[in-house]
Amino acid sequence: MNDLILKEVARFLFPFIELYGFYIVFHGHLSPGGGFAGGVVCGAGFILYTLAHGHKALYSLLPRHIWTFCESAGLAFFIFLGLVGIFVGREFLANSSAGFPLGRTGELFSSGLVFLLNLAIGLKVASTVTTLFLNLEEED
Amino acid sequence: MLTVKALLLLLLILCALAVSFTRDLLSAAVIFSAYSLIMATVWQQLKAPDIALAEAAIGAGITSLLFIATIARTRRYEE
């Protein structure tokens, strides 16, 4: 695909789509959305970039091994955060009972563990959705 | 407001029927994406904004992209 309008629009829209995805991930515990929906929006932004510029341009932005690393790192980060509860003697994914400060209602850095869990899920989902499309794109 | 909801549900049923009766798979993928967008609006009307966001991102975005990428590798018309 070699279309000037598509390329320029994709180059213009790409940062805004990523910003919106990050907004949904970071405000997952305050407003609708969360790690999954935000991660999918981020992945859709990367897919739009791949459609317009080809997968070689995406790999010069972020190489292949970083995508596979992000997939594993998101899952490992989530499990590590869950195990923190067990290490302090509570149940898996324990939040306030494991000693995380809850903060105030409506504040961005509140609700203890949930903020970091959303971040882990967002990382995992965004990289998985993008590699899913890249595997189809790369085959020829 | 009731008229808008009835219109949305009618469009939803029309899109669902059109997907199953279309022989052109690329058109079917695009109609399915429109179905997902209407479904996201219906979820929002049912006071489930979380599901609406997920439906709009996954149903209208990722699923149709994967369908179109698959159609590009296989046939476009159903036999």
Side-chain angles (χ1 to χ4, degrees), chain A residues 2-138:
Chain A
N2 199 4
D3 187 36
L4 182 69
I5 295 174
L6 179 70
K7 277 187 176 176
E8 289 306 314
V9 168
R11 196 196 302 277
F12 177 72
L13 278 182
F14 174 66
F16 292 104
I17 295 175
E18 296 302 320
L19 188 66
Y20 184 56
F22 277 111
Y23 167 78
I24 295 175
V25 171
F26 283 132
H27 288 74
H29 54 291
L30 300 176
S31 58
F36 190 73
V40 170
V41 172
C42 278
F46 285 119
I47 290 177
L48 176 70
Y49 193 82
T50 316
L51 275 176
H53 299 277
H55 60 264
K56 289 198 179 70
L58 189 72
Y59 284 152
S60 65
L61 200 69
L62 282 170
R64 172 93 204 182
H65 59 93
I66 289 189
W67 290 107
T68 38
F69 175 78
C70 280
E71 268 190 276
S72 315
L75 189 62
F77 189 40
F78 188 94
I79 293 172
F80 170 74
L81 288 173
L83 287 177
V84 169
I86 289 180
F87 284 143
V88 298
R90 300 282 173 171
E91 69 272 23
F92 190 70
L93 284 176
N95 193 3
S96 66
S97 60
F100 287 105
L102 283 188
R104 278 182 297 141
T105 313
E107 204 176 288
L108 181 60
F109 295 106
S110 61
S111 76
L113 198 60
V114 180
F115 179 74
L116 294 172
L117 286 177
N118 271 327
L119 210 62
I121 298 172
L123 188 68
K124 168 78 182 160
V125 172
S127 52
T128 304
V129 161
T130 315
T131 32
L132 207 64
F133 186 76
L134 284 172
N135 283 340
L136 274 174
E137 181 79 11
E138 259 178 358

